[in-house]
PDB file of all heavy atoms in Angstrom:
ATOM      1  N   HIS A 372     -21.252  40.811   2.101  1.00 96.00           N
ATOM      2  CA  HIS A 372     -21.636  40.058   3.294  1.00 96.00           C
ATOM      3  C   HIS A 372     -20.568  40.251   4.361  1.00 96.00           C
ATOM      4  O   HIS A 372     -19.370  40.324   4.057  1.00 96.00           O
ATOM      5  CB  HIS A 372     -21.856  38.571   2.997  1.00 96.00           C
ATOM      6  CG  HIS A 372     -20.618  37.788   2.668  1.00 96.00           C
ATOM      7  ND1 HIS A 372     -19.671  37.427   3.606  1.00 96.00           N
ATOM      8  CD2 HIS A 372     -20.176  37.282   1.482  1.00 96.00           C
ATOM      9  CE1 HIS A 372     -18.709  36.743   3.038  1.00 96.00           C
ATOM     10  NE2 HIS A 372     -18.975  36.649   1.738  1.00 96.00           N
ATOM     11  N   ILE A 385     -14.861  33.248   8.358  1.00 91.00           N
ATOM     12  CA  ILE A 385     -14.747  33.552   6.933  1.00 91.00           C
ATOM     13  C   ILE A 385     -14.798  35.065   6.794  1.00 91.00           C
ATOM     14  O   ILE A 385     -15.726  35.704   7.302  1.00 91.00           O
ATOM     15  CB  ILE A 385     -15.891  32.905   6.136  1.00 91.00           C
ATOM     16  CG1 ILE A 385     -15.824  31.382   6.248  1.00 91.00           C
ATOM     17  CG2 ILE A 385     -15.834  33.309   4.677  1.00 91.00           C
ATOM     18  CD1 ILE A 385     -16.991  30.680   5.590  1.00 91.00           C
ATOM     19  N   PRO A 386     -13.811  35.694   6.153  1.00 92.00           N
ATOM     20  CA  PRO A 386     -13.787  37.168   6.073  1.00 92.00           C
ATOM     21  C   PRO A 386     -14.987  37.722   5.317  1.00 92.00           C
ATOM     22  O   PRO A 386     -15.660  37.014   4.555  1.00 92.00           O
ATOM     23  CB  PRO A 386     -12.475  37.455   5.331  1.00 92.00           C
ATOM     24  CG  PRO A 386     -11.673  36.192   5.429  1.00 92.00           C
ATOM     25  CD  PRO A 386     -12.656  35.080   5.499  1.00 92.00           C
ATOM     26  N   ASP A 387     -15.242  39.010   5.523  1.00 94.00           N
ATOM     27  CA  ASP A 387     -16.288  39.669   4.764  1.00 94.00           C
ATOM     28  C   ASP A 387     -15.840  39.812   3.313  1.00 94.00           C
ATOM     29  O   ASP A 387     -14.654  39.649   2.989  1.00 94.00           O
ATOM     30  CB  ASP A 387     -16.640  41.022   5.365  1.00 94.00           C
ATOM     31  CG  ASP A 387     -15.435  41.962   5.409  1.00 94.00           C
ATOM     32  OD1 ASP A 387     -14.303  41.498   5.153  1.00 94.00           O
ATOM     33  OD2 ASP A 387     -15.626  43.146   5.700  1.00 94.00           O
ATOM     34  N   ALA A 388     -16.794  40.110   2.433  1.00 94.00           N
ATOM     35  CA  ALA A 388     -16.466  40.200   1.007  1.00 94.00           C
ATOM     36  C   ALA A 388     -17.364  41.226   0.335  1.00 94.00           C
ATOM     37  O   ALA A 388     -18.545  41.360   0.685  1.00 94.00           O
ATOM     38  CB  ALA A 388     -16.613  38.838   0.329  1.00 94.00           C
ATOM     39  N   PHE A 389     -16.780  41.944  -0.619  1.00 95.00           N
ATOM     40  CA  PHE A 389     -17.497  42.912  -1.444  1.00 95.00           C
ATOM     41  C   PHE A 389     -17.260  42.533  -2.896  1.00 95.00           C
ATOM     42  O   PHE A 389     -16.114  42.523  -3.367  1.00 95.00           O
ATOM     43  CB  PHE A 389     -17.001  44.333  -1.158  1.00 95.00           C
ATOM     44  CG  PHE A 389     -17.695  45.394  -1.958  1.00 95.00           C
ATOM     45  CD1 PHE A 389     -18.952  45.842  -1.583  1.00 95.00           C
ATOM     46  CD2 PHE A 389     -17.099  45.942  -3.081  1.00 95.00           C
ATOM     47  CE1 PHE A 389     -19.608  46.825  -2.316  1.00 95.00           C
ATOM     48  CE2 PHE A 389     -17.742  46.926  -3.822  1.00 95.00           C
ATOM     49  CZ  PHE A 389     -19.001  47.369  -3.433  1.00 95.00           C
ATOM     50  N   LEU A 390     -18.328  42.196  -3.626  1.00 96.00           N
ATOM     51  CA  LEU A 390     -18.216  41.679  -4.986  1.00 96.00           C
ATOM     52  C   LEU A 390     -18.957  42.576  -5.962  1.00 96.00           C
ATOM     53  O   LEU A 390     -20.078  43.015  -5.690  1.00 96.00           O
ATOM     54  CB  LEU A 390     -18.781  40.253  -5.066  1.00 96.00           C
ATOM     55  CG  LEU A 390     -18.258  39.248  -4.038  1.00 96.00           C
ATOM     56  CD1 LEU A 390     -18.967  37.913  -4.203  1.00 96.00           C
ATOM     57  CD2 LEU A 390     -16.757  39.075  -4.167  1.00 96.00           C
ATOM     58  N   ASN A 411     -17.903  38.847  -9.855  1.00 94.00           N
ATOM     59  CA  ASN A 411     -16.672  39.084  -9.111  1.00 94.00           C
ATOM     60  C   ASN A 411     -15.610  39.686 -10.027  1.00 94.00           C
ATOM     61  O   ASN A 411     -14.508  39.147 -10.195  1.00 94.00           O
ATOM     62  CB  ASN A 411     -16.177  37.786  -8.477  1.00 94.00           C
ATOM     63  CG  ASN A 411     -15.093  38.002  -7.440  1.00 94.00           C
ATOM     64  OD1 ASN A 411     -14.758  39.143  -7.102  1.00 94.00           O
ATOM     65  ND2 ASN A 411     -14.538  36.922  -6.939  1.00 94.00           N
ATOM     66  N   PHE A 413     -13.542  42.097  -9.877  1.00 93.00           N
ATOM     67  CA  PHE A 413     -12.229  42.439  -9.341  1.00 93.00           C
ATOM     68  C   PHE A 413     -11.502  41.236  -8.755  1.00 93.00           C
ATOM     69  O   PHE A 413     -10.467  41.379  -8.109  1.00 93.00           O
ATOM     70  CB  PHE A 413     -12.357  43.528  -8.284  1.00 93.00           C
ATOM     71  CG  PHE A 413     -12.739  44.871  -8.846  1.00 93.00           C
ATOM     72  CD1 PHE A 413     -13.266  45.848  -8.028  1.00 93.00           C
ATOM     73  CD2 PHE A 413     -12.572  45.136 -10.194  1.00 93.00           C
ATOM     74  CE1 PHE A 413     -13.622  47.103  -8.546  1.00 93.00           C
ATOM     75  CE2 PHE A 413     -12.924  46.367 -10.730  1.00 93.00           C
ATOM     76  CZ  PHE A 413     -13.446  47.352  -9.913  1.00 93.00           C
ATOM     77  N   ASN A 414     -12.060  40.041  -8.988  1.00 92.00           N
ATOM     78  CA  ASN A 414     -11.434  38.792  -8.546  1.00 92.00           C
ATOM     79  C   ASN A 414     -11.146  38.801  -7.040  1.00 92.00           C
ATOM     80  O   ASN A 414     -10.077  38.381  -6.573  1.00 92.00           O
ATOM     81  CB  ASN A 414     -10.133  38.552  -9.317  1.00 92.00           C
ATOM     82  CG  ASN A 414      -9.748  37.082  -9.363  1.00 92.00           C
ATOM     83  OD1 ASN A 414     -10.609  36.200  -9.371  1.00 92.00           O
ATOM     84  ND2 ASN A 414      -8.458  36.811  -9.378  1.00 92.00           N
ATOM     85  N   SER A 415     -12.123  39.278  -6.261  1.00 90.00           N
ATOM     86  CA  SER A 415     -11.965  39.356  -4.806  1.00 90.00           C
ATOM     87  C   SER A 415     -12.019  37.970  -4.185  1.00 90.00           C
ATOM     88  O   SER A 415     -12.687  37.067  -4.691  1.00 90.00           O
ATOM     89  CB  SER A 415     -13.058  40.231  -4.206  1.00 90.00           C
ATOM     90  OG  SER A 415     -13.042  41.528  -4.771  1.00 90.00           O
ATOM     91  N   THR A 416     -11.322  37.805  -3.080  1.00 88.00           N
ATOM     92  CA  THR A 416     -11.325  36.527  -2.365  1.00 88.00           C
ATOM     93  C   THR A 416     -12.613  36.374  -1.584  1.00 88.00           C
ATOM     94  O   THR A 416     -13.022  37.260  -0.848  1.00 88.00           O
ATOM     95  CB  THR A 416     -10.139  36.449  -1.396  1.00 88.00           C
ATOM     96  OG1 THR A 416      -8.917  36.583  -2.144  1.00 88.00           O
ATOM     97  CG2 THR A 416     -10.131  35.120  -0.657  1.00 88.00           C
ATOM     98  N   ASP A 417     -13.257  35.234  -1.750  1.00 88.00           N
ATOM     99  CA  ASP A 417     -14.504  34.948  -1.040  1.00 88.00           C
ATOM    100  C   ASP A 417     -14.613  33.446  -0.856  1.00 88.00           C
ATOM    101  O   ASP A 417     -13.886  32.667  -1.481  1.00 88.00           O
ATOM    102  CB  ASP A 417     -15.698  35.491  -1.821  1.00 88.00           C
ATOM    103  CG  ASP A 417     -16.992  35.458  -1.021  1.00 88.00           C
ATOM    104  OD1 ASP A 417     -16.913  35.399   0.227  1.00 88.00           O
ATOM    105  OD2 ASP A 417     -18.073  35.482  -1.623  1.00 88.00           O
ATOM    106  N   ALA A 418     -15.511  33.014   0.012  1.00 86.00           N
ATOM    107  CA  ALA A 418     -15.717  31.589   0.260  1.00 86.00           C
ATOM    108  C   ALA A 418     -17.202  31.320   0.410  1.00 86.00           C
ATOM    109  O   ALA A 418     -17.932  32.096   1.027  1.00 86.00           O
ATOM    110  CB  ALA A 418     -14.979  31.140   1.519  1.00 86.00           C
ATOM    111  N   PRO A 424     -13.435  27.781  -1.279  1.00 85.00           N
ATOM    112  CA  PRO A 424     -13.395  29.108  -1.896  1.00 85.00           C
ATOM    113  C   PRO A 424     -14.465  29.262  -2.973  1.00 85.00           C
ATOM    114  O   PRO A 424     -14.749  28.323  -3.726  1.00 85.00           O
ATOM    115  CB  PRO A 424     -11.989  29.173  -2.502  1.00 85.00           C
ATOM    116  CG  PRO A 424     -11.204  28.111  -1.792  1.00 85.00           C
ATOM    117  CD  PRO A 424     -12.177  27.037  -1.465  1.00 85.00           C
ATOM    118  N   ALA A 425     -15.056  30.444  -3.028  1.00 85.00           N
ATOM    119  CA  ALA A 425     -15.983  30.766  -4.110  1.00 85.00           C
ATOM    120  C   ALA A 425     -15.189  31.073  -5.372  1.00 85.00           C
ATOM    121  O   ALA A 425     -14.003  31.428  -5.306  1.00 85.00           O
ATOM    122  CB  ALA A 425     -16.851  31.954  -3.709  1.00 85.00           C
ATOM    123  N   PRO A 426     -15.806  30.953  -6.542  1.00 86.00           N
ATOM    124  CA  PRO A 426     -15.077  31.236  -7.781  1.00 86.00           C
ATOM    125  C   PRO A 426     -14.587  32.672  -7.822  1.00 86.00           C
ATOM    126  O   PRO A 426     -15.193  33.580  -7.242  1.00 86.00           O
ATOM    127  CB  PRO A 426     -16.133  30.982  -8.868  1.00 86.00           C
ATOM    128  CG  PRO A 426     -17.140  30.084  -8.233  1.00 86.00           C
ATOM    129  CD  PRO A 426     -17.175  30.469  -6.793  1.00 86.00           C
ATOM    130  N   GLY A 427     -13.483  32.878  -8.503  1.00 90.00           N
ATOM    131  CA  GLY A 427     -12.986  34.224  -8.731  1.00 90.00           C
ATOM    132  C   GLY A 427     -13.767  34.873  -9.860  1.00 90.00           C
ATOM    133  O   GLY A 427     -14.966  34.666 -10.010  1.00 90.00           O
TER     134      GLY A 427
END
Side-chain angles (χ1 to χ4, degrees):
H372 70 73
I385 297 175
D387 59 350
F389 180 79
L390 309 177
N411 193 5
F413 290 161
N414 204 32
S415 303
T416 301
D417 191 21

